[in-house]
């Protein structure tokens, strides 16, 4: 778990996208590994892929490729002669192949944090470029980190022209963090000779950049010419627009939506909208490396109407089955929606969402409060999630928010962003669609990405809440502000004070795997009525037997984790909330009247 702090708040979200997608013409690590993966698919059997080792991988690479892997992973310039120290995790089974060949010397020094002990390798460099190599061909999660010291202690060292860009540099000392994606993990032991050096931090996800050993996966649900994984979302006004997404294999390059009012004849009354297409690659997905992902945004729809639609390709005359969607009404203020906590792509969640849909066919839309999957850059996990749930989500929009598992190991949430289409109205300094807001009839929703630095949201949250005249205000964030398992004081300080000021009615969250409903809270204290405070709900939608340790004084209802969905029904100024399990039993309920 992590809480961002210090200057890293400004830098973290930009650090790692370039590890995977780099527009430079110079051949870099990604290009070498991409080409090698293609070669492996063409020439190796499934069994051979499963039994790759470092010796075999190195034998398949040219000398130029090896030079790139040894020098183009991490680069920076120094203005004075320096000693570069590499802290390599002691438990890593294979030492990065280039360390000794590049004349790094293993020292007797050792650096520690609460989870790892690090061997220290050192080498002297002259003024100019420092080039460092990959972490290895396995996915050893504690990626090495670096400190730099001038050879002459009186020299003033500057580090410039870093790759990856936006390198965060701090002080090598006890209490410093080394991983952006886990900045609560700090150094506990640093030899005196290393203290005061410049510490170059990294992310654990960088270990994936050259991952080939035990790396190859298969999806249970590969793409085909026929469109599937059809999902509804909104990127515009729910009363007049509808976004539709789907995928095919990469033999289908064009996609279109045909749609019509449900009561009309589709043979003569349909409209069409051409879809945008994006190639999504998961290079280690051996049976479905590339898919074409389509997004169509329908506009100028009639409010409060049900439409039928199909998606497909006109040239090959390949179409999906007919599905439907309903636009929000401009004349009514009554509707219901369903909230799920963590789903983690589980089959049980698929069964739960179908139960929720069967029992509540008029629900307007669904939301998931983060951790939709367990590994956000593995497309086979998204395939599982969509296979289990798209029978519902092709007829009812899904409006989720990001969890820490959806934004993996500091590498960002680009696959989540590619697979969904949401409002592009979040904070200017954050990636589009990771944080957003929308209104449905008389209700306002803030969907906040907690994997980004907390403080970067604060001004945007206040602006959104202050400008909303909605009767009801809801916030969905993955990390719970109130929990006895994990504490997020920055969220309480930065955001909960705004929830108090602008009277947010309910804050939905997950992350810790149990159920909790707080008493109405104001200024970090329980109050008597929901009209005076905000209710905080933790819920999950996957099977887990977590039990909270104790009942805090702010808790109204609390019990161990199980598959739950939360049904929220709004009738003008009255709200009814129910937490319902797979058997249909109501385990918690409350109401609010304004």
């Amino acid at each position: 778990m992590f809480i961002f702090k210090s200057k890293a708040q400004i830098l973290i979200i930009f650090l790692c996208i370039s590890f995977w997608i780099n527009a430079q013409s110079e051949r870099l690590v990604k290009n070498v590994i991409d080409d090698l993966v293609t070669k492996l698919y063409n020439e190796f059997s499934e069994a051979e892929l499963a039994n790759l080792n470092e010796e075999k991988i190195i034998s398949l690479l040219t000398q130029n490729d090896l030079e790139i892997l040894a020098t183009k992973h991490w680069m920076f310039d120094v203005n004075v002669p320096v000693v570069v120290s590499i802290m390599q995790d002691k438990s890593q089974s294979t030492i990065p192949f280039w360390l000794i060949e590049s004349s790094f010397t293993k020292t007797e020094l050792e650096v520690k944090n609460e989870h790892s002990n690090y061997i220290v390798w050192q080498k002297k460099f002259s003024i100019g470029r420092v080039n460092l190599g990959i972490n290895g061909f396995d996915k050893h999660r504690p990626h090495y980190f670096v400190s730099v010291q001038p050879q002459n202690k009186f020299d003033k060292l500057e580090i410039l022209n870093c790759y990856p860009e936006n390198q965060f540099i701090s002080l090598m000392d006890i209490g410093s963090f080394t991983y952006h994606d886990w900045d609560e993990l700090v150094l506990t032991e640093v030899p005196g000779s290393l203290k005061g050096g410049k510490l170059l931090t990294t992310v654990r996800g960088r270990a994936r950049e050259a991952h080939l050993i035990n790396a190859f996966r298969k999806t249970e649900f590969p793409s085909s010419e026929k469109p599937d994984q059809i999902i509804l979302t909104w990127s515009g006004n729910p009363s007049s627009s509808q976004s539709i997404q789907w995928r095919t294999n990469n033999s289908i390059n064009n996609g279109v939506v045909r749609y019509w009012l449900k009561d009309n004849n589709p043979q003569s009354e349909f409209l069409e909208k051409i879809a945008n297409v994006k190639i999504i690659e998961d290079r280690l997905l051996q049976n479905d490396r590339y898919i074409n992902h389509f997004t169509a945004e329908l506009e100028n729809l009639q409010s409060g109407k049900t439409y039928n639609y199909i998606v497909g390709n006109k040239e090959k005359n390949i179409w999906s089955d007919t599905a439907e969607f309903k636009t929000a009404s401009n004349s009514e203020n009554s509707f219901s929606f369903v909230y799920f906590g963590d789903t983690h792509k589980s089959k049980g969640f698929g069964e739960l969402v179908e139960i929720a849909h069967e029992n509540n066919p008029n629900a307007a839309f669904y939301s998931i409060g983060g951790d939709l999957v367990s590994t956000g850059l593995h497309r086979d996990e998204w395939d599982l999630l969509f296979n289990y749930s798209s029978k519902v989500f092709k007829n009812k929009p899904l409006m989720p928010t990001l969890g820490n598992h959806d934004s993996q190991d500091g590498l960002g949430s680009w696959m989540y962003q590619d697979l969904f289409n949401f409002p592009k109205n979040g904070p200017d300094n954050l990636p589009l669609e990771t944080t957003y807001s929308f209104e449905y009839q008389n209700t306002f929703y803030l969907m906040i990405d907690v994997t980004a630095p907390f403080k970067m949201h604060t001004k945007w949250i206040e602006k959104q809440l202050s400008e909303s005249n909605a009767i009801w205000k809801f916030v969905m964030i993955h990390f719970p502000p109130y929990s006895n398992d994990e504490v997020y004081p920055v969220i309480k300080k930065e955001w909960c004070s705004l929830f108090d000021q602008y009277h947010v009615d309910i804050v939905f969250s997950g992350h810790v795997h149990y159920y909790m409903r707080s008493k109405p809270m104001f200024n970090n204290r329980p109050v008597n009525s929901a009209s005076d405070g905000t209710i905080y709900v933790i819920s999950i939608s996957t099977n887990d037997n977590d039990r909270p340790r104790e009942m805090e004084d702010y808790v109204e209802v609390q019990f161990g984790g199980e598959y739950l969905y939360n049904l929220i029904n709004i009738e003008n100024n009255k709200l009814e909330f129910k937490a319902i399990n797979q058997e249909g039993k109501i385990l918690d309920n409350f109401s609010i009247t304004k």
Side-chain angles (χ1 to χ4, degrees), residues 259-270 302 304-309 322-326:
Y259 61 103
W260 59 92
L261 283 168
K262 187 173 183 178
D263 294 336
N264 290 355
N265 182 349
Q267 299 302 316
S268 59
E269 298 293 336
F270 69 77
Q302 298 180 41
K305 297 292 185 180
T306 300
Y307 288 79
N308 285 130
Y309 75 94
T322 301
E324 69 179 42
F325 63 84
K326 184 177 181 180

Side-chain angles (χ1 to χ4, degrees), residues 29 33 68-71 73-74 96-98 132-137 143-144 209-210:
V29 170
I33 301 300
I68 290 169
L69 298 181
T71 61
H73 178 69
W74 203 341
F97 74 91
W98 53 273
L132 306 175
I134 62 173
N135 197 64
F137 296 106
H143 190 284
Y144 73 83
E209 188 169 354

Side-chain angles (χ1 to χ4, degrees), residues 423-438:
K424 299 173 179 61
N425 59 1
D428 292 338
N429 51 1
L430 294 180
L432 293 175
E433 301 175 88
T434 54
T435 288
Y436 61 94
S437 68
F438 69 100

